[in-house]
Amino acid sequence: MTAPLTPPPPPHEPSSHDAWPSPAGHTGAAAAPHDVAYGQDGPGMKTELREAAVIAVAVTVAGALLGLLWVWLAPNVPLVGDLADGQWVVYFKDTEGEQAIGVDGTFTLLALACGAVSALAVFVWRRRGGVPLAVALAVGGFLGSLLAWRLGVWLGPASDVIAHARSAGKGVTFSAPLKLGAKGALLAWPLAASLVHLGLTALFGPRDPDPYEPYGTPPKDGYGAPLA
């Protein structure tokens, strides 16, 4: 008779020390994305809204500088006063001149420059994008354009051309009041600010982490082989 076969030893049971290690607690393992203090996720909505309000106010106040530059750099539209049947009439000295178009063009170019500068300043300060910042730049740029327009009209030549012609005298050339004929120029600042800030964020802003990038040491089974 043959001896009974000895049963094989039972498989090695993994101990509690071989359990899957926690990525956050394992030595040398990187912390999970949600365990890291805001880096890629931003400082929080309340902070972003507060910063957006500050940006909107600052950009709006900067519209005063645009208004001063407009008054200084815009070309003068020459007018001439004359008497006709005892009444004062005013007409353009140069009927084919393009000074009126130059007034609108000067405002538009200055607004585009202000939009680019404000977007660059906000990006250098925050170094990231975000909907609140974009909205703040657009709203502040539009309000700043409105402030510049009204300030330029107020600081420019007198708006009462008849009184101005009467004080200047018959046949004497004087400057027409500043007038923004193309109201679409008020959108130049917010459009430029939004586009420049979007471009800077896309080129130099922080990148979102790869959601599929592994972190930590992969767990292993009781035999030391990595689990699928």
Side-chain angles (χ1 to χ4, degrees):
M1 295 179 65
T2 59
L5 299 176
T6 302
H12 173 69
E13 296 293 335
S15 63
S16 60
H17 299 287
D18 296 328
W20 292 6
S22 174
H26 193 274
T27 303
H34 58 272
D35 294 331
V36 182
Y38 78 89
Q40 301 291 343
D41 295 337
M45 183 56 67
K46 290 184 178 180
T47 303
E48 287 192 355
L49 291 177
R50 185 164 54 250
E51 292 176 348
V54 173
I55 290 172
V57 172
V59 173
T60 300
V61 173
L65 178 61
L66 173 58
L68 295 176
L69 291 175
W70 187 39
V71 174
W72 180 34
L73 298 176
N76 294 323
V77 180
L79 300 178
V80 175
D82 197 1
L83 283 171
D85 297 331
Q87 295 183 349
W88 282 93
V89 293
V90 177
Y91 55 90
F92 290 102
K93 182 179 180 180
D94 185 4
T95 56
E96 297 182 358
E98 298 180 355
Q99 292 87 350
I101 300 176
V103 172
D104 293 345
T106 301
F107 186 93
T108 303
L109 292 177
L110 290 174
L112 290 174
C114 290
V117 171
S118 60
L120 178 60
V122 170
F123 180 79
V124 169
W125 176 45
R126 289 287 285 111
R127 290 288 182 180
R128 65 171 56 248
V131 175
L133 296 184
V135 173
L137 279 172
V139 173
F142 181 72
L143 294 178
S145 297
L146 287 176
L147 175 62
W149 171 37
R150 302 313 304 170
L151 183 63
V153 172
W154 180 58
L155 295 178
S159 57
D160 191 347
V161 293
I162 297 299
H164 198 171
R166 187 181 294 110
S167 62
K170 180 179 178 180
V172 178
T173 302
F174 62 95
S175 298
L178 279 179
K179 179 181 179 182
L180 190 62
K183 297 301 188 293
L186 297 174
L187 300 178
W189 188 332
L191 288 177
S194 300
L195 292 178
V196 172
H197 189 263
L198 178 62
L200 291 174
T201 303
L203 292 175
F204 307 107
R207 299 293 185 266
D208 294 332
D210 187 359
Y212 302 102
E213 182 180 359
Y215 56 89
T217 303
K220 299 180 180 180
D221 58 12
Y223 299 97
L227 295 176

